[in-house]
Amino acid sequence: MKYERSFNFSAGPAMMPEKVLEEIRDEMMNYHGSGMCVMEMSHRSKVFIDIYEQAVADLKKLMNIPDNYKVLFIQGGGTLQFSMVAMNLMKNGKAVYVETGSWAKKAIAEAKKVGEVIIGATSKDDNFSYIPDCSDMDIPEDADYVYICENETINGTTFHKLPNTKGHILVSDQSSMFLSRPCNVADYGLIWGGVQKNVGPAGMAVVIIREDLIREDIDPNMPIYMMYKTHAAADSMYNTPNCWAIYCCGKVFKYLLDLGGLEKMAEMNEHKAKILYDFLDSSKMFKTVVRPEDRSVMNVTFRTESDELDKAVVKASEAAGFDNLKGHKSVGGLRASIYNAMPEEGVVALVDFLKKFEAEHK
Amino acid sequence: MKYERSFNFSAGPAMMPEKVLEEIRDEMMNYHGSGMCVMEMSHRSKVFIDIYEQAVADLKKLMNIPDNYKVLFIQGGGTLQFSMVAMNLMKNGKAVYVETGSWAKKAIAEAKKVGEVIIGATSKDDNFSYIPDCSDMDIPEDADYVYICENETINGTTFHKLPNTKGHILVSDQSSMFLSRPCNVADYGLIWGGVQKNVGPAGMAVVIIREDLIREDIDPNMPIYMMYKTHAAADSMYNTPNCWAIYCCGKVFKYLLDLGGLEKMAEMNEHKAKILYDFLDSSKMFKTVVRPEDRSVMNVTFRTESDELDKAVVKASEAAGFDNLKGHKSVGGLRASIYNAMPEEGVVALVDFLKKFEAEHK
């Protein structure tokens, strides 16, 4: 082995493909004969514009994005998107949110600053351990959109079926499942995802927005960075973007295409998740917390019978070289995030470790 | 030579120290035995928190930042800071701006969305080719702050003496001069700088703010990302920060300390600038545009007698292996940005090239 690489189960930032990191390393001192590292390039230079255009083209191919959608790269992460979505899309000042956990709640809090939020469905009654029924929600005629967090990183749930929006625009936070499986972009008005989970380095969100939702008649007193039209009109270069993230993500887009695209990723991800869930379902010590039909393929939440034992698992896992198995502080327990770049060996090794731990702590 | 490295005169993103890039390359696959690249680390992990804390400590040492100031790392670049400064610091809804060029104008435009902007001084009358007299501006008693862009990247001017704020808070955009010379932080209420010029990769601004200016009584309906208190209370980790930029900038902070700190950088930068300005002052073909006493040490703007000849210079410079000598599209002409990481050889080589061009085009 050339270098030690750990199995990192962090909820994000998270593992990146080894091959991509090696390419980045090899291009560090002189990118393709430019005499520069990508970090040093003017964002207006031809060499960088080529990197940007290739990244957009590859993402469009990977997700099969229709021509009437724009791809934007915006800083500020999910937190800024919570605000931008509401500030840009609330024309009538009213939107329906599905409350599925920590990240939906944060989106709701920011949207409430902008207009009226109607909770279309919630799974609050059982600690967000399931996806509520969204087949027949009360949606006011004049609601501007329906918002979901399609995969709740902290709670470990996923929408395996999209809500019935009754003809309204669907907005989805896909951060912790972005590029993990195919999706039909035309079903959405806007998809956004922080890239630091399934794709690349933190510091950028990808926004995929239907062009007619980029409002030209937006309140001119809104901060200029918060307007989607600012970023759309300048191809994400109104100001200097996170060029490094565009470069790294572009490499991952290409890597995923080479690997067989999102159908292949979905197959691999489901296979990995099955290995872990099958073990957890058969274990007497570990139990999952999410309703089986709503389980996330990316973030596997589980726990033992006590907080003390959970802590012992985390401690032993660290000693065994596994990183970040602790559940989010807001919910406790254990969590293994197994994003695109987590190899199957990592999941198998984790199951072996958990089996051994269970045997030793009967 | 191990690899070709070009002399890149870009206004930003711009050159980084070769030694820093080599370290980053060497740590790419396994940072200090962690088994991870820094891009893969949870921002909540001990290994990353150590990187963050070291970066903050080194910056405090480098700038000699007093204890009653907070260092914040915020995404969204200068564009978001234009809005955040006004939204967070305008308590009385009134501020004085010094209009020195393109970047001051952008800050003014965003501030006008928030409150009343009083232009304390301007150099508009001569195309922003000088720093206006700020020794006795009309500053209303209840103005919340006085704002300057301390180095105008596009126009090539610098404040070599700070304005007389008559006891009001001074806010400074130091982006294109950040860490290029010592400054007395206590003279300012808030200093911010995009890091993509003199420090590291694009995608982050460093904000140095006096603690009493971090308002707890801020409008609760402001987007949460836009409140300085959000970032201050969470040590820049309310949401996932641009971890990679923190890591790279931290390395540059350490590099500058090792080199002798900001006094040494100022000496080196003035020496480099003198080489170029001395040549320009002696040239019959090239002329500078900025009043000598207001010249920037970082961004050297100059031109020939015609746009055609300017274009010929740019074309010849590219053929000779110099990058990004073209002036900003809004002002034209020529510009050499010679930030901290531009080696003296680069400036000497540029002067040699310009001399040769002049001799050949008499």
Side-chain angles (χ1 to χ4, degrees):
Chain A
M1 202 171 177
K2 294 162 292 179
Y3 31 74
E4 292 283 334
R5 295 269 299 153
S6 75
F7 294 125
N8 171 16
F9 294 93
S10 167
M15 290 182 78
M16 291 174 62
E18 198 168 309
K19 183 171 175 292
V20 166
L21 292 176
E22 286 175 340
E23 275 181 35
I24 293 169
R25 176 199 59 193
D26 295 344
E27 292 171 354
M28 184 64 66
M29 305 308 295
N30 183 350
Y31 174 83
H32 292 199
S34 64
M36 299 179 222
C37 171
V38 175
M39 289 194 272
E40 303 177 297
M41 290 175 186
S42 167
H43 56 303
R44 311 280 181 208
S45 63
K46 187 179 178 311
V47 61
F48 184 74
I49 297 284
D50 285 350
I51 290 171
Y52 158 81
E53 286 178 349
Q54 191 63 53
V56 171
D58 285 342
L59 181 63
K60 283 185 172 171
K61 195 169 167 192
L62 198 53
M63 293 184 72
N64 200 15
I65 299 174
D67 285 343
N68 61 328
Y69 285 73
K70 266 290 228 189
V71 171
L72 307 176
F73 299 128
I74 305 181
Q75 298 176 54
T79 307
L80 209 62
Q81 288 314 307
F82 297 150
S83 299
M84 285 180 69
V85 162
M87 289 166 80
N88 283 273
L89 301 191
M90 275 200 194
K91 276 176 103 159
N92 300 326
K94 196 181 290 182
V96 172
Y97 278 66
V98 182
E99 192 185 39
T100 45
S102 309
W103 293 106
K105 278 160 71 179
K106 290 209 179 206
I108 290 165
E110 292 307 304
K112 278 184 175 168
K113 297 177 179 178
V114 181
E116 186 189 348
V117 170
I118 295 144
I119 305 296
T122 179
S123 51
K124 201 178 178 177
D125 62 344
D126 197 17
N127 206 19
F128 303 116
S129 63
Y130 67 100
I131 297 290
D133 181 3
C134 299
S135 62
D136 187 23
M137 296 186 287
D138 272 332
I139 302 174
E141 203 50 54
D142 62 344
D144 290 307
Y145 57 88
V146 174
Y147 182 102
I148 58 169
C149 173
E150 202 164 337
N151 184 84
E152 281 280 3
T153 324
I154 289 175
N155 307 88
T157 56
T158 291
F159 282 82
H160 289 289
K161 186 169 180 267
L162 292 180
N164 175 3
T165 65
K166 300 181 176 176
H168 291 78
I169 290 158
L170 180 62
V171 175
S172 176
D173 166 6
Q174 286 197 346
S175 297
S176 49
M177 58 172 285
F178 193 58
L179 305 185
S180 68
R181 68 184 191 202
C183 75
N184 182 25
V185 174
D187 289 341
Y188 304 80
L190 188 153
I191 294 170
W192 69 265
V195 298
Q196 75 276 18
K197 295 167 187 293
N198 242 342
V199 194
M204 192 171 84
V206 175
V207 176
I208 300 160
I209 182 170
R210 217 174 64 202
E211 282 174 347
D212 62 296
L213 301 177
I214 301 166
R215 286 168 59 193
E216 287 302 320
D217 65 336
I218 202 88
D219 174 8
N221 279 325
M222 191 186 296
I224 195 161
Y225 198 85
M226 307 291 278
M227 303 173 180
Y228 285 128
K229 75 167 183 175
T230 300
H231 302 279
D235 288 329
S236 303
M237 305 233 190
Y238 171 76
N239 68 339
T240 321
N242 185 335
C243 299
W244 182 255
I246 293 172
Y247 162 66
C248 296
C249 291
K251 285 207 173 285
V252 175
F253 300 156
K254 194 163 281 302
Y255 173 83
L256 296 178
L257 282 170
D258 289 348
L259 219 64
L262 299 189
E263 287 77 10
K264 182 68 184 169
M265 286 320 301
E267 191 189 311
M268 290 167 71
N269 285 327
E270 276 156 28
H271 178 68
K272 284 187 289 175
K274 190 173 183 310
I275 294 171
L276 185 49
Y277 281 120
D278 280 353
F279 162 70
L280 294 171
D281 288 340
S282 72
S283 162
K284 289 202 165 56
M285 175 180 279
F286 300 104
K287 49 179 192 278
T288 58
V289 277
V290 168
R291 187 166 69 180
E293 58 266 43
D294 301 325
R295 284 172 173 173
S296 170
V297 176
M298 298 279 104
N299 311 99
V300 179
T301 46
F302 56 108
R303 50 174 69 245
T304 65
E305 61 183 25
S306 74
D307 290 350
E308 288 64 39
L309 199 54
D310 287 349
K311 273 182 199 153
V313 175
V314 171
K315 207 173 160 187
S317 73
E318 285 166 359
F322 299 103
D323 284 293
N324 298 300
L325 267 190
K326 199 173 153 187
H328 189 270
K329 58 185 184 222
S330 65
V331 296
L334 302 157
R335 174 178 54 174
S337 295
I338 49 175
Y339 296 121
N340 278 358
M342 170 61 68
E344 185 179 326
E345 307 95 271
V347 180
V348 171
L350 174 62
V351 167
D352 287 346
F353 161 78
L354 293 173
K355 267 186 194 158
K356 190 161 164 269
F357 185 93
E358 184 169 354
E360 287 170 0
H361 292 77
K362 256 187 201 158
Chain B
M1 203 173 178
K2 295 161 293 180
Y3 31 73
E4 291 284 332
R5 295 268 300 151
S6 75
F7 293 125
N8 171 15
F9 295 93
S10 166
M15 291 182 79
M16 290 174 63
E18 199 168 309
K19 183 172 176 293
V20 166
L21 292 175
E22 286 175 339
E23 276 181 35
I24 293 169
R25 175 198 61 194
D26 295 343
E27 292 172 353
M28 183 65 64
M29 305 309 295
N30 182 351
Y31 174 83
H32 292 199
S34 65
M36 300 178 221
C37 170
V38 174
M39 288 193 273
E40 302 177 298
M41 291 176 185
S42 166
H43 56 303
R44 311 279 182 207
S45 64
K46 187 178 178 311
V47 61
F48 184 74
I49 297 283
D50 285 350
I51 290 171
Y52 159 81
E53 286 178 349
Q54 191 63 52
V56 172
D58 285 342
L59 181 63
K60 284 185 172 171
K61 194 170 167 191
L62 198 51
M63 292 184 73
N64 200 16
I65 299 175
D67 285 342
N68 62 327
Y69 285 73
K70 267 288 229 188
V71 171
L72 307 176
F73 299 128
I74 305 181
Q75 298 176 53
T79 307
L80 210 61
Q81 288 313 306
F82 297 149
S83 299
M84 284 180 71
V85 161
M87 290 166 79
N88 283 272
L89 302 191
M90 273 199 194
K91 278 175 102 157
N92 300 325
K94 195 182 290 183
V96 172
Y97 278 67
V98 182
E99 191 184 41
T100 46
S102 309
W103 294 105
K105 278 161 69 180
K106 291 208 179 206
I108 290 166
E110 292 307 304
K112 278 184 175 167
K113 297 177 179 179
V114 181
E116 185 189 346
V117 169
I118 296 144
I119 304 297
T122 179
S123 50
K124 201 177 179 180
D125 61 344
D126 197 16
N127 205 20
F128 302 115
S129 63
Y130 68 99
I131 297 290
D133 181 4
C134 299
S135 62
D136 186 25
M137 294 186 288
D138 272 331
I139 303 174
E141 203 52 53
D142 62 344
D144 290 307
Y145 58 87
V146 174
Y147 182 104
I148 59 169
C149 173
E150 203 164 334
N151 184 83
E152 282 279 4
T153 324
I154 289 175
N155 308 86
T157 56
T158 292
F159 282 81
H160 289 288
K161 185 169 181 267
L162 293 180
N164 175 4
T165 65
K166 301 181 176 175
H168 290 77
I169 290 158
L170 180 63
V171 174
S172 176
D173 165 8
Q174 286 197 348
S175 296
S176 50
M177 57 170 286
F178 194 57
L179 305 184
S180 69
R181 68 184 191 201
C183 75
N184 181 27
V185 175
D187 289 341
Y188 304 80
L190 188 153
I191 294 170
W192 68 264
V195 298
Q196 75 276 17
K197 294 166 188 293
N198 242 342
V199 194
M204 192 170 85
V206 175
V207 175
I208 300 161
I209 182 171
R210 217 174 65 202
E211 282 174 347
D212 62 295
L213 301 178
I214 301 166
R215 285 168 62 193
E216 286 303 321
D217 65 336
I218 201 89
D219 174 8
N221 280 324
M222 191 187 295
I224 195 161
Y225 197 86
M226 306 291 277
M227 303 173 180
Y228 285 128
K229 74 167 184 176
T230 301
H231 302 278
D235 287 329
S236 303
M237 305 235 189
Y238 171 77
N239 68 339
T240 320
N242 185 336
C243 300
W244 181 254
I246 293 172
Y247 161 67
C248 296
C249 291
K251 285 206 174 285
V252 175
F253 300 157
K254 194 163 283 301
Y255 173 84
L256 296 178
L257 282 171
D258 289 347
L259 218 66
L262 300 190
E263 287 76 11
K264 181 68 185 171
M265 287 319 301
E267 191 190 310
M268 289 166 70
N269 285 327
E270 275 156 29
H271 178 67
K272 284 187 290 177
K274 190 173 184 308
I275 294 170
L276 185 48
Y277 281 120
D278 279 355
F279 162 71
L280 294 170
D281 287 340
S282 73
S283 162
K284 289 204 165 56
M285 175 180 279
F286 300 104
K287 51 178 189 277
T288 59
V289 276
V290 168
R291 188 167 68 179
E293 58 267 43
D294 301 324
R295 283 172 173 172
S296 171
V297 177
M298 299 278 104
N299 311 101
V300 179
T301 47
F302 56 108
R303 53 174 69 246
T304 66
E305 62 183 23
S306 74
D307 291 349
E308 287 63 40
L309 198 53
D310 287 347
K311 274 183 199 151
V313 175
V314 171
K315 205 173 161 188
S317 72
E318 284 165 359
F322 299 103
D323 283 293
N324 298 300
L325 267 191
K326 199 173 155 188
H328 189 271
K329 60 186 177 208
S330 64
V331 295
L334 302 157
R335 174 178 54 173
S337 295
I338 49 174
Y339 296 121
N340 279 357
M342 170 61 69
E344 185 178 326
E345 307 95 89
V347 180
V348 171
L350 174 62
V351 167
D352 287 347
F353 160 79
L354 293 173
K355 267 186 194 160
K356 191 160 163 268
F357 185 93
E358 184 168 353
E360 287 170 2
H361 292 77
K362 255 185 203 158

